[in-house]
Amino acid sequence: MIVLGIETSCDETAAAVVDGARAIRANLVLSQLGEHAPHGGVVPEIAARAHLEHLDGLIAQAMREAKVGFADLAGIAATGGPGLIGGVIVGVMTAKAIAAARKVPFLAVNHLEAHALTARLIADLPFPYLLLLVSGGHCQLASVEGVGKYRRYGTTVDDAAGEAFDKVAKLLGLPYPGGPEVERAAAGGDARRFALPRPMKGRKGCDFSFSGLKTAVRHAVAALPEPLPAQDRDDMAASFQQAVAEVMEDRARRAMERFADEHAGIAAPALVVGGGVAANRHLRAVLTRAAERQGFAFLAPPPALCTDNAAMIAWAGIERLRLGLKDALDFAPRPRWPLEELGA
Ligand code: KG4
Ligand code: ZN
């Protein structure tokens, strides 16, 4: 079962070919960083035009690398939302056009579900499992009960985790996207230098909050010399990353307790992370230890499958096809599409 995946919901144009035996035959990501960098963030109009310009060529290249033709495809999966609507429309229209011309099933994949199912592309992982999804637009803990079946344990009440990394990077004079930059700076910094808050740590439930932490960083930076000395910048990055890690560890621990309670029969429960922020090595290390303490296996896709990619879209398409699911060609792209609204 060979599926072509297309991802265009943010600022990466991506195309991939994956098969049912979990082989990633091609996985191409074209970042638009250079086009957005002068604006300090993603400009939706620029993103949509760049997707339009590059997607056809990227699909052709992915098909060539995978050595498959359209006749070999069991399905064409494209991100149907949530995301920047101009880009989502480009991906969905392209997928529908190929599907209609080649009479191949079309699959509209929920981008969050694709992040959630990536762990099953890299490992033999049965349902249910506990998911920590941390990306630029989302931050949630959920029990993944099956394809299309999610139960939310907690979410952020303000900013997403990646958004916090991106905003703090800006405060520190680091370029967009901030996550990898903050991680790099933190590697040379002292995490004990600045006392930053740990929002939500110790509270009941599994919700997150990051806006207070970001504000604390802003105030602390304002009290430092200008321009910000490199060591101060690195110490702040390390202190911030440590605060985020402690909050996530605390929230994940509570979620593991709840998951274990609700799934008493499971012998080997697993904590799975996904989304761009899950590429962060410090977070991965902290969560690995937290999972170990709770008797959970810890699963994190390789960083290139944590950040946005099309292999995860193709894989989510395979998971849906296996259940006999496909979408009609009148599917309407969705700017908002929470996981809980998915029904298998
Ligand atoms: O999943 P993703 O590629 O796109 C969304 O669906 O949002 O996540 C992008 C987010 C950005 O906010 C980026 O700064 C963050 O993930 N990110 C990281 C790291 N790599 C990417 N955050 C922390 N550490 C990283 N190494
Ligand atoms: Zn994403």
Side-chain angles (χ1 to χ4, degrees):
M1 186 183 279
I2 301 171
V3 169
L4 168 68
I6 296 171
E7 158 61 34
T8 55
S9 68
C10 194
D11 58 343
E12 346 259 12
T13 312
V17 177
V18 176
D19 68 34
R22 299 204 305 236
I24 299 175
R25 299 184 177 208
N27 187 19
L28 303 177
V29 181
L30 201 71
S31 169
Q32 304 174 358
L33 272 188
E35 282 160 271
H36 298 288
H39 307 277
V42 178
V43 184
E45 180 66 20
I46 294 178
R49 285 175 192 279
H51 289 308
L52 197 55
E53 196 172 317
H54 300 299
L55 185 58
D56 287 357
L58 206 66
I59 290 172
Q61 193 186 336
M63 301 285 290
R64 262 198 315 276
E65 277 188 22
K67 298 194 174 62
V68 295
F70 288 125
D72 302 315
L73 297 178
I76 301 178
T79 298
L84 299 174
I85 195 63
V88 176
I89 290 172
V90 171
V92 165
M93 291 308 290
T94 304
K96 283 179 180 177
I98 303 172
R102 300 292 175 146
K103 308 218 167 6
V104 176
F106 160 70
L107 299 129
V109 167
N110 178 298
H111 181 90
L112 303 175
E113 169 155 70
H115 278 303
L117 297 176
T118 304
R120 284 165 55 86
L121 165 59
I122 58 148
D124 209 347
L125 175 72
F127 296 119
Y129 52 87
L130 178 64
L131 169 74
L132 171 62
L133 175 56
V134 280
S135 69
H138 300 272
C139 184
Q140 47 188 278
L141 276 156
S143 167
V144 181
E145 312 276 332
V147 175
K149 294 196 190 106
Y150 302 86
R151 269 191 314 122
R152 188 151 85 183
Y153 283 8
T155 187
T156 177
V157 299
D158 41 57
D159 294 349
E163 202 179 345
F165 269 94
D166 294 336
K167 286 176 176 171
V168 163
K170 213 169 190 173
L171 290 171
L172 299 181
L174 297 167
Y176 178 88
E181 297 285 340
V182 170
E183 179 174 7
R184 210 167 297 131
D190 174 4
R192 286 158 309 182
R193 164 98 184 272
F194 298 101
L196 298 172
R198 271 73 171 142
M200 295 294 198
K201 187 177 170 183
R203 287 244 211 130
K204 266 174 73 171
C206 301
D207 282 339
F208 296 87
S209 165
F210 292 106
S211 77
L213 177 54
K214 171 196 69 196
T215 306
V217 170
R218 182 161 25 151
H219 288 313
V221 169
L224 293 169
E226 219 195 313
L228 191 62
Q231 193 57 52
D232 290 351
R233 179 199 62 202
D234 293 357
D235 291 346
M236 188 65 75
S239 302
F240 165 77
Q241 185 176 264
Q242 180 57 28
V244 172
E246 277 181 37
V247 167
M248 289 206 179
E249 179 184 12
D250 178 75
R251 307 286 81 193
R253 183 180 55 75
R254 279 168 193 274
M256 285 187 275
E257 282 168 0
R258 175 170 166 186
F259 184 91
D261 259 8
E262 291 178 357
H263 304 87
I266 295 183
L271 169 65
V272 165
V273 292
V277 182
N280 187 285
R281 271 163 296 218
H282 181 59
L283 282 178
R284 290 160 87 107
V286 166
L287 291 168
T288 302
R289 286 195 298 273
E292 217 164 79
R293 278 196 297 272
Q294 303 290 131
F296 274 58
F298 179 73
L299 251 136
L305 292 179
C306 284
T307 51
D308 286 347
N309 65 87
M312 69 178 189
I313 305 301
W315 177 253
I318 289 172
E319 294 257 28
R320 297 182 75 76
L321 268 180
R322 279 181 176 157
L323 297 175
L325 301 168
K326 52 185 183 173
D327 291 278
L329 290 182
D330 65 356
F331 169 86
R334 299 183 61 167
R336 258 185 51 76
W337 192 3
L339 273 182
E340 299 73 40
E341 283 179 21
L342 275 169

